[in-house]
Structure formats: structure tokens, C-alpha cells
């Protein structure tokens, strides 16, 4: 069931956006799509709250994108976007095949942490999933929400589902979000 849901959602953008032709029949109209569906596309920010508490501004780890699939705040994104929330991350230096010291930043694994090629580990930890939802077209027309990972793909499937849970102060969210319409991928 979960695999079917992921497959349907990953095909969603192609079907729904292809059917969002707007004023020019037979062609995708990117201006029409952007003007009508921007509220359903979100930015996902990854923040290590431990680093952020130690030194404000240092907790930012990465970002990605996603899209709203239900008005209660369920979002489809990629596994690689939220993997640090589930498996953790490691920031380290290692010696490459030529003996040069190289910086690495990866999903945490004991193989990396215990590798003899690792020279120094700077940080390991987990990130919080912060979702930036736009309500207007201006640069500052957004709200930030805390989200949790509901499910994450395995193997070669690079999909994940997250859900908005609260505002950044921990208050439950009751507003409805703009879910993108589900299209027919055929």
C-alpha cells in the first residue's frame, strides 16, 4: 500500500502539471502553473537544534523542496531531503585514495564513523524538519512550521512523506493548506 501511494504521488506532478495548461492549449504554461500552484510547493529546511542552541545560525544543515498533498499538511518530498531527520548525519574529514584530506558530509552510518580513512569528525546528529509554506508572492510571504517524517522510501525509491505538526513555538496548527490537485499520469 505504501509503495503504491509513493508511486502515485511521484507521478502526480507530471500528470497534474501537464493538465494545467492554462491559456495555451496543448503546451505547458509555466507562468500559469507558477501563478496558480505556488501555495502548494514548499521548502524544507533541515536544522540541527543542538548546534543551533550552541551557536545561533550554525544549525542549518540543508534544504529541499516538496509539495502539499492534503489540506491537513501532509507533504511529499524526496528521501534524500529528509534522510538526516531519520538516520542522522555526519560531518567529517577523510583521506581519499591519493592521501588527500577531503571533507565529507553524509547520512550517518557506522561504516563511515568507524572507517580508518576518517581523520576528524566535526558533528554528528539529527535534523529537525522545518517547512516553509508560502501564502503570498513576496519574498517574506511565508510561515515556518515544524514537521515530522511519516514515511521514507527504501532501496532505489527516493520518496518520503512529512506532516506539518506545529508552528515553531510548538502550537498545534489548525489551518488548511493548499494541496496540489492530483492528476492522471496517463
Amino acid at each position: 500500500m505504501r509503495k503504491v501511494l509513493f508511486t502515485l504521488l511521484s507521478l502526480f506532478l507530471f500528470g497534474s502539471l501537464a493538465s494545467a495548461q492554462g491559456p495555451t492549449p496543448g503546451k505547458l504554461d509555466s507562468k500559469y502553473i507558477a501563478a496558480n500552484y505556488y501555495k502548494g510547493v514548499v521548502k524544507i529546511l533541515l536544522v540541527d537544534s543542538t548546534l543551533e542552541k550552541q551557536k545561533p545560525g550554525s544549525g542549518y544543515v540543508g534544504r529541499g523542496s516538496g509539495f502539499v498533498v492534503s489540506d491537513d499538511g501532509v507533504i511529499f518530498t524526496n528521501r534524500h531531503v529528509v534522510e538526516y531527520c531519520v538516520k542522522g548525519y555526519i560531518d567529517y574529514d577523510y583521506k581519499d585514495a591519493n592521501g588527500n584530506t577531503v571533507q565529507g558530509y553524509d547520512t550517518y552510518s557506522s561504516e563511515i564513523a568507524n572507517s580508518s580513512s576518517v581523520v576528524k569528525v566535526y558533528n554528528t546528529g539529527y535534523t529537525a524538519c522545518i517547512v516553509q509554506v508560502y501564502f503570498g508572492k513576496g519574498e517574506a510571504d511565508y510561515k515556518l512550521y515544524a514537521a515530522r517524517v511519516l514515511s521514507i522510501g527504501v532501496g532505489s525509491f527516493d520518496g518520503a512523506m512529512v506532516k506539518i505538526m506545529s508552528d515553531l513555538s510548538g502550537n498545534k496548527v489548525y489551518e488548511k493548506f493548499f494541496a496540489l490537485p492530483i492528476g492522471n499520469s496517463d
Side-chain angles (χ1 to χ4, degrees):
M1 175 70 172
R2 188 181 291 177
K3 187 173 183 177
V4 171
L5 178 62
F6 277 135
T7 302
L8 291 173
L9 289 173
S10 62
L11 294 173
F12 156 76
L13 276 181
F14 296 111
S16 65
L17 296 182
S19 66
Q21 296 172 0
T24 312
K27 295 171 74 177
L28 283 177
D29 186 328
S30 59
K31 289 181 182 179
Y32 176 83
I33 293 168
N36 290 286
Y37 297 108
Y38 69 92
K39 291 181 182 179
V41 178
V42 300
K43 185 185 292 183
I44 298 174
L45 307 169
L46 303 175
V47 177
D48 182 328
S49 59
T50 303
L51 290 178
E52 192 62 28
K53 287 176 188 171
Q54 291 172 356
K55 182 180 175 190
S58 68
Y60 172 78
V61 174
R63 69 174 180 262
S65 63
F67 59 92
V68 180
V69 297
S70 67
D71 66 1
D72 64 343
V74 175
I75 296 164
F76 183 81
T77 187
N78 294 101
R79 175 185 65 210
H80 72 265
V81 172
V82 295
E83 202 162 33
Y84 294 165
C85 301
V86 176
K87 296 181 178 180
Y89 71 93
I90 183 168
D91 179 10
Y92 63 104
D93 286 345
Y94 66 97
K95 294 281 186 185
D96 68 9
N98 298 322
N100 299 317
T101 300
V102 181
Q103 185 175 11
Y105 207 97
D106 287 300
T107 301
Y108 183 87
S109 73
S110 58
E111 291 82 23
I112 293 173
N114 297 320
S115 172
S116 61
S117 66
V118 171
V119 176
K120 181 176 183 178
V121 174
Y122 296 99
N123 293 300
T124 62
Y126 289 85
T127 59
C129 183
I130 308 297
V131 177
Q132 185 175 10
V133 179
Y134 290 88
F135 58 84
K137 295 181 182 179
E139 286 184 31
D141 294 343
Y142 64 84
K143 292 182 183 176
L144 297 174
Y145 300 95
R148 71 177 172 97
V149 177
L150 297 176
S151 59
I152 191 165
V154 295
S156 63
F157 182 69
D158 189 25
M161 302 287 284
V162 300
K163 183 171 187 335
I164 293 173
M165 302 304 292
S166 67
D167 64 16
L168 294 186
S169 298
N171 301 311
K172 188 170 171 76
V173 176
Y174 295 101
E175 64 193 88
K176 298 293 181 190
F177 296 94
F178 183 82
L180 293 181
I182 302 292
N184 183 338
S185 64
D186 292 333

